[in-house]
């Protein structure tokens, strides 16, 4: 009881800078995918889920969209806006979502 | 205390705390749970509110929005076609409350940037550490001579969706077959660049089915517009002579309207008589941004695109249609993206950290017919001066040479897109 009160006091006094992590550019990139793929990136209607996929598959698919090797309606145009490094980071991040 | 900015003050306060001064808990508590106030509950403001709660749950987020529910501009043209109901494009704020956002259903009347408070019509004053203003647009009454609020009841703009959308739909339903629908379209910049041309398509779709002897003439204050070849191909293929688009160079700019006579007069004096007139009058940033000193002489708000902080007043971000963000279009999707970038920046700035550059997207669909849609996409970032830049070779519009199946596929994706972007913003 006493211990938890002290802990609560510590959390309250913890400066915002220490408690709030920076949102990474990759997190923001993934968050803007939500506009079509859904808030949780689980897909919507005809738009596929980005969750539960392997990193290699996601990275290859995005790079194939970028090169035009894999046809799509809108994803070719969007993938061209990302560098190979951004695609790798995005694939890593998406593959790590629970 | 002399001239010292807030960040410097917090550093000083921190140093004093370390030295063991009394009275520090208040500062510590303020740092532990900063206050962010957001004005405007559209695509930008609601997205920013949810992003802040998701990424930094210790922030106290208050969203100021007068309306109890929000009608989206996207898909409001489909209501004109008769394919959607108003209920289907209206969203409430329960999802935001559930996400831990404090809703203040009131009108923001003034911003005190020095005192860091926002006044509400109800008399309340909200203190903020950072303010995010997502004010949308206001119609610039009188920008077309004779076009005021009373005129809009006879010649709806329907560019702020809601009653205006319903009014225009009713007028189209009441119009006799063979009537002429006139549209006036503004010069750049304006909300939703492909919107007027989707509207031409949706009204034509309705006329073709219900009033096939009618005609639609669109008078435009420009010579070029978003997705032009794609729209023109679609109109020719689906609506033939029913649609006539008049460019600026062919005397397309409407300078005067007479709602009693139901006429539109162009710059060179040509008078067009209308059975139904849809006057998309020029507009500018929403009132709270203009009154709050966030807009420049153009009526729009200059921002630093790395953070969406105002270039005119510090500690205030401006997002959405009100911003000067070309080449990014004034779209709901862009406003939603800006809300996320601004939220990420606000978290870093509250923590006294330098925000990193972000990359974000736009995707917009326009219908030309029920199973025929086209899209525009773009990937954006900011340059070293804080201007919005579109990533080279990215984005663009749907291919001009495409099979019917491609257009049909985009119409299916458009529905998924609308579902996702509205849920992401409000659900």
């Amino acid at each position: 009881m006493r211990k938890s009160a002290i802990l609560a006091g510590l959390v309250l006094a913890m400066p915002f800078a220490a408690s709030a992590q920076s949102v990474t550019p990759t997190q923001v990139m993934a968050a803007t995918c939500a506009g079509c793929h859904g808030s949780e990136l689980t897909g919507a209607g005809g738009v596929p889920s980005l969750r539960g996929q392997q990193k290699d598959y996601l990275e290859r698919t995005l790079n194939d969209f970028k090169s035009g090797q894999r046809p799509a309606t809108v994803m070719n145009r969007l993938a061209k806006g990302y560098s190979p490094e951004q695609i790798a980071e995005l694939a890593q991040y998406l593959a790590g979502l629970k | 205390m002399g001239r010292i900015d807030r960040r410097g003050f917090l550093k000083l306060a921190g140093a004093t705390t370390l030295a063991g001064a009394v009275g520090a808990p208040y500062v510590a508590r303020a740092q532990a749970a900063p206050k962010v106030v957001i004005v405007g509950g559209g695509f930008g403001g609601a997205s920013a509110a949810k992003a802040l709660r998701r990424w930094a749950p210790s922030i106290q987020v208050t969203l100021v929005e007068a309306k109890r529910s929000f009608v989206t501009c996207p898909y409001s043209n489909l209501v004109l076609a008769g394919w959607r109901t108003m209920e289907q494009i209206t969203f409430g704020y329960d999802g935001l409350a559930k996400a831990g956002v404090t809703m203040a259903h009131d009108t923001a009347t003034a911003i005190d940037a020095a005192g860091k408070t926002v006044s509400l019509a109800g008399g309340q004053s909200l203190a903020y550490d950072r303010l995010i203003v997502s004010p949308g647009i206001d119609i610039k009454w009188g920008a077309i001579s004779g076009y005021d609020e009373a005129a809009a009841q006879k010649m709806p703009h329907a560019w702020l969706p809601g009653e205006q959308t319903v009014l225009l739909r009713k007028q189209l339903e009441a119009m006799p077959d063979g009537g002429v629908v006139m549209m006036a379209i503004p010069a750049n910049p304006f909300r939703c660049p492909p919107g007027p041309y989707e509207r031409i398509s949706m009204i034509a779709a309705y006329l073709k089915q219900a009033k096939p002897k009618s005609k639609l003439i669109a008078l435009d204050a420009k010579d070029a517009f978003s997705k032009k070849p794609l729209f023109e191909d679609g109109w020719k293929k689906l609506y033939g002579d029913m649609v006539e688009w008049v460019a600026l160079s062919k005397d397309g700019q409407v300078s005067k309207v007479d709602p009693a006579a139901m006429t539109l007069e162009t710059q060179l004096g040509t008078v067009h008589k209308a059975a139904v007139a849809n006057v998309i009058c020029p507009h500018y940033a929403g009132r709270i941004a203009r009154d709050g000193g966030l807009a420049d002489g153009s009526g729009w708000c200059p921002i630093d695109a790395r953070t969406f902080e105002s270039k005119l007043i510090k500690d205030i971000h401006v997002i959405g249609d009100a911003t000067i963000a070309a080449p990014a279009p004034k779209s709901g999707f862009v406003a939603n993206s800006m809300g996320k970038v601004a939220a990420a920046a606000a978290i870093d700035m509250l923590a006294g950290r330098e925000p990193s550059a972000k990359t974000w997207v736009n995707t917009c669909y326009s219908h030309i017919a029920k199973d025929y849609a086209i899209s525009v996409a773009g990937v954006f970032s900011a340059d070293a001066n804080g201007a919005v830049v579109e990533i080279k070779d990215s984005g663009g519009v749907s291919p001009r040479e495409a099979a019917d199946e491609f257009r049909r596929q985009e119409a299916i994706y458009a529905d998924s897109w609308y579902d996702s972007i509205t849920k992401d913003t409000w659900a």
Side-chain angles (χ1 to χ4, degrees):
Chain A
M1 174 81 189
R2 208 161 136 210
K3 201 173 169 189
S4 67
I6 292 165
L7 269 178
L10 278 176
V11 170
L12 196 67
M14 195 182 192
F16 178 73
S19 70
Q21 297 291 308
S22 280
V23 182
T24 65
T26 306
Q27 275 178 287
V28 172
M29 247 193 306
T32 63
C33 301
C36 295
H37 291 270
S39 291
E40 303 304 324
L41 305 175
T42 47
V47 183
S49 173
L50 301 179
R51 283 193 177 238
Q53 313 275 10
Q54 299 290 321
K55 176 187 183 263
D56 289 353
Y57 169 76
L58 289 164
E59 188 172 355
R60 192 174 60 242
T61 306
L62 280 166
N63 279 314
D64 287 351
F65 281 142
K66 188 177 162 81
S67 69
Q69 206 169 328
R70 179 169 168 160
T73 53
V74 78
M75 277 311 299
N76 300 120
R77 289 174 266 158
L78 287 169
K80 280 181 186 150
Y82 301 125
S83 68
E85 294 75 27
Q86 283 176 314
I87 286 176
E89 283 163 18
L90 193 55
Q92 173 91 47
Y93 174 81
L94 293 171
L97 292 175
K98 295 277 182 299
Chain B
M1 201 158 84
R3 282 186 60 83
I4 186 159
D5 67 11
R6 187 176 162 76
R7 199 175 292 176
F9 171 70
L10 286 176
K11 257 186 216 152
L12 271 182
T16 318
T17 309
L18 283 178
V22 287
Y26 175 74
V27 173
R29 200 155 53 224
Q31 283 179 293
K35 290 186 175 74
V36 175
V37 174
I38 300 171
V39 175
F43 281 98
S47 158
K50 279 180 76 173
L52 283 167
R53 292 292 309 161
R54 175 174 232 180
W55 288 329
S58 63
I59 296 181
Q60 295 177 39
V61 181
T62 305
L63 178 59
V64 181
E65 168 57 57
K67 294 187 289 289
R68 294 276 166 177
S69 58
F70 188 88
V71 183
T72 67
C73 230
Y75 271 52
S76 66
N77 285 329
L78 277 70
V79 174
L80 298 177
W83 302 339
R84 294 271 164 152
T85 64
M86 289 302 286
E87 289 70 30
Q88 288 171 322
I89 62 162
T90 304
F91 300 86
Y93 290 98
D94 290 353
L96 281 130
K98 219 179 286 169
V101 175
T102 304
M103 291 302 303
H105 286 296
D106 204 340
T107 303
T109 51
I111 298 167
D112 173 1
K116 299 184 85 170
T117 59
V118 177
S119 306
L120 307 185
Q124 211 185 342
S125 171
L126 300 174
Y128 65 81
D129 294 304
R130 298 201 73 81
L131 176 64
I132 299 177
V133 180
S134 185
I137 56 139
D138 280 350
I139 301 293
K140 207 170 176 177
W141 302 114
I144 292 172
S145 176
Y147 196 72
D148 56 15
E149 283 171 275
Q153 293 305 311
K154 279 210 75 181
M155 302 173 136
H157 51 77
W159 218 239
L160 297 167
E163 286 169 20
Q164 281 276 305
T165 314
V166 174
L167 178 61
L168 182 55
R169 169 71 189 173
K170 281 188 178 153
Q171 290 181 346
L172 290 167
E173 283 172 357
M175 186 182 82
D177 191 6
V180 177
V181 179
M182 298 293 310
M183 269 178 75
I185 303 173
N188 294 324
F190 64 100
R191 162 179 277 183
C192 191
Y197 313 98
E198 182 188 56
R199 179 170 290 178
I200 289 172
S201 312
M202 294 299 87
I203 292 176
Y206 169 69
L207 296 177
K208 184 180 174 182
Q209 162 245 314
K211 309 178 176 193
K213 283 182 266 174
S214 305
K215 201 170 158 61
L216 189 159
I217 302 173
L219 304 172
D220 206 327
K222 307 181 284 307
D223 282 328
F225 58 83
S226 175
K227 312 175 188 169
K228 185 168 180 273
L230 291 167
F231 275 114
E232 289 182 327
D233 289 349
W235 294 338
K236 203 171 158 195
K237 182 175 174 181
L238 296 157
Y239 307 116
D241 300 337
M242 186 176 255
V243 170
E244 185 186 339
W245 175 77
V246 183
L248 169 69
S249 56
K250 304 275 191 222
D251 194 23
Q253 183 164 357
V254 173
S255 56
K256 194 176 166 184
V257 294
D258 182 343
M262 282 297 283
T263 55
L264 299 87
E265 188 175 328
T266 63
Q267 216 170 19
L268 298 183
T270 310
V271 177
H272 297 264
K273 173 98 173 118
V276 170
N278 171 212
V279 179
I280 306 171
C281 190
H283 32 275
Y284 48 12
R287 184 198 49 77
I288 189 67
R290 286 179 287 115
D291 289 358
L294 296 164
D296 68 13
S298 70
W300 304 100
C301 303
I303 43 85
D304 184 322
R306 290 167 292 190
T307 58
F308 290 98
E309 185 172 43
S310 165
K311 282 192 169 170
L312 303 178
I313 305 178
K314 71 190 290 281
D315 300 331
I316 304 181
H317 305 259
V318 187
I319 54 175
D321 292 351
T323 59
I324 298 170
K330 297 185 186 304
S331 78
F333 199 113
V334 162
N336 173 291
S337 286
M338 286 178 178
K340 289 163 181 170
V341 176
I347 291 167
D348 277 334
M349 291 161 105
L350 285 165
R353 294 186 292 253
E354 193 67 33
S356 60
K358 304 293 191 296
T359 299
W360 44 278
V361 303
N362 175 54
T363 305
C364 286
Y365 288 90
S366 305
H367 286 81
I368 298 180
K370 211 166 208 169
D371 53 3
Y372 190 122
I374 56 177
S375 63
V376 63
V379 183
F380 301 93
S381 190
D383 69 12
N385 299 317
V388 177
V389 287
E390 184 158 10
I391 308 300
K392 201 172 164 283
D393 300 326
S394 77
V397 299
S398 306
R400 194 168 175 188
E401 304 303 329
D404 289 352
E405 178 54 27
F406 193 97
R407 309 285 187 226
R408 201 183 65 83
Q409 197 67 43
E410 291 219 286
I412 293 168
Y413 285 143
D415 286 348
S416 306
W417 161 83
Y418 182 73
D419 192 38
S420 288
I421 193 76
T422 53
K423 278 192 180 134
D424 186 59
T425 307
W426 291 284

